Amino acid sequence: MIELKSAEEIELMAVTGQFVGELLAELSNVAAVGVNLMDLEHHARRRIAERGAESCYWDYAPSFGRGPFRNVLCLSVNDAVLHGLPHDYVLRDGDLLSIDMAVGIDGWVADSALSVIVGTPDPADLRLIEATEVALEAAVTAAQPGGRLGDISAAIGEVAHSYGYRVNAEFGGHGIGRTMHEAPHVANSGRPRRGLKLEPGLTIAIEPWLCHSTDKIRYDRDGWTIRSADGSRTAHSEHTVAVTASGPRVLTRRPAHDTGSAGPAAKSANAS
Ligand code: MG
Ligand code: MG
């Protein structure tokens, strides 16, 4: 069942979305060469507790994971793209880090992700990140009242293909609101003018992710971490978006990071 949210409920989701956007921006500034992934995890735990927010990841136990998740972030490095477990790893020059986070405040949830490079960027990695960001913005633009869910999926697929990347359709976006994962599934490729009609009040997480040279994935033995099958680098961008009568509204817009296209995806180790 798809629950359309009232204007008041979308405002409450926007409060959560603002916090998620701010914390992601903060984490992307903390991430630098020499920083341990666990430092990022502990930073996020502290900020979430201070805000009185609740992590949607903590104790999350879907069918595919091994045991309940005991972290508030997914941190996926290089060939890891989704559900990476924070662990004792010190970031190295040129690492491509994806940070994904979902929290609830007063019962309303927002979910967002970004990818950054720490230290010296490889142009191919910048291009990969750019493709996910451009695909995300195209998908947001397609989230118009009166449109169809397939318009969003098609927009992602079109951008990915225009960059020369293939799309894996096993994992994609999702409805969101009272919980992290609600109906409908938002596929990362599809046909325009097909599928669910987009109505004001629909709230969805849109999340293109790409692997440099494959659309195949493999799982780590932890049952969580998803990597590109060929070990090539990966990127992931996600926003929580509301369809409103006046058009799409991004609820997790970040203070500085998100310019829509290229953006400052690369950051220097000396920046923070
Ligand atoms: Mg997410
Ligand atoms: Mg999500």
Side-chain angles (χ1 to χ4, degrees):
M1 195 200 80
I2 292 165
E3 183 199 4
L4 298 177
K5 279 76 175 181
S6 68
E8 292 75 21
E9 289 167 339
I10 289 171
E11 288 307 324
L12 293 171
M13 287 180 68
V15 170
T16 311
Q18 186 182 348
F19 172 72
V20 167
E22 286 169 2
L23 183 48
L24 270 180
E26 210 173 286
L27 290 165
S28 71
N29 285 325
V30 173
V33 176
V35 170
N36 195 301
L37 295 183
M38 292 311 297
D39 296 340
L40 295 173
E41 167 68 19
H42 288 295
H43 182 103
R45 284 185 200 176
R46 198 165 53 241
R47 293 279 284 107
I48 289 169
E50 281 166 9
R51 183 62 178 79
E54 238 178 84
S55 168
C56 303
Y57 290 175
W58 197 267
D59 280 345
Y60 184 57
S63 56
F64 55 85
R66 185 165 295 176
F69 203 79
R70 280 296 160 92
N71 298 282
V72 302
L73 297 177
C74 289
L75 298 173
S76 306
V77 179
N78 296 338
D79 61 319
V81 62
L82 297 173
H83 310 154
L85 292 178
H87 63 286
D88 180 19
Y89 174 81
V90 175
L91 288 166
R92 298 177 198 171
D93 189 41
D95 274 348
L96 197 169
L97 171 68
S98 298
I99 309 173
D100 193 354
M101 180 176 69
V103 306
I105 296 175
D106 296 332
W108 293 98
V109 171
D111 183 6
S112 186
L114 84 176
S115 292
V116 291
I117 294 163
V118 294
T120 319
D122 182 322
D125 292 341
L126 287 178
R127 188 169 182 277
L128 185 65
I129 294 173
E130 180 186 294
T132 64
E133 292 178 348
V134 173
L136 177 55
E137 290 304 325
V140 168
T141 302
Q144 300 291 342
R148 299 272 179 173
L149 197 58
D151 300 344
I152 296 172
S153 303
I156 294 171
E158 267 168 40
V159 171
H161 295 140
S162 76
Y163 275 80
Y165 302 120
R166 278 176 290 182
V167 174
N168 174 300
E170 285 170 71
F171 288 88
H174 46 89
I176 183 168
R178 296 180 194 273
T179 61
M180 174 167 60
H181 290 146
E182 301 181 349
H185 174 67
V186 183
N188 282 347
S189 70
R191 298 171 69 185
R193 296 178 293 282
R194 298 293 177 97
L196 179 79
K197 192 167 175 201
L198 303 176
E199 290 181 65
L202 181 69
T203 49
I204 51 177
I206 303 176
E207 48 181 314
W209 58 275
L210 294 168
C211 306
H212 179 77
S213 48
T214 183
D215 57 355
K216 304 285 189 296
I217 54 172
R218 65 184 179 84
Y219 288 81
D220 275 7
R221 266 190 295 187
D222 60 30
W224 291 102
T225 312
I226 296 176
R227 299 179 188 275
S228 63
D230 63 357
S232 63
R233 291 206 164 185
T234 65
H236 180 204
S237 297
E238 177 178 21
H239 274 311
T240 295
V241 179
V243 177
T244 77
S246 54
R249 177 177 172 194
V250 176
L251 304 179
T252 45
R253 198 59 91 182
R254 291 181 280 275
H257 194 82
D258 229 343
T259 53
S261 58
K267 56 187 301 299
S268 158
N270 303 318
S272 57

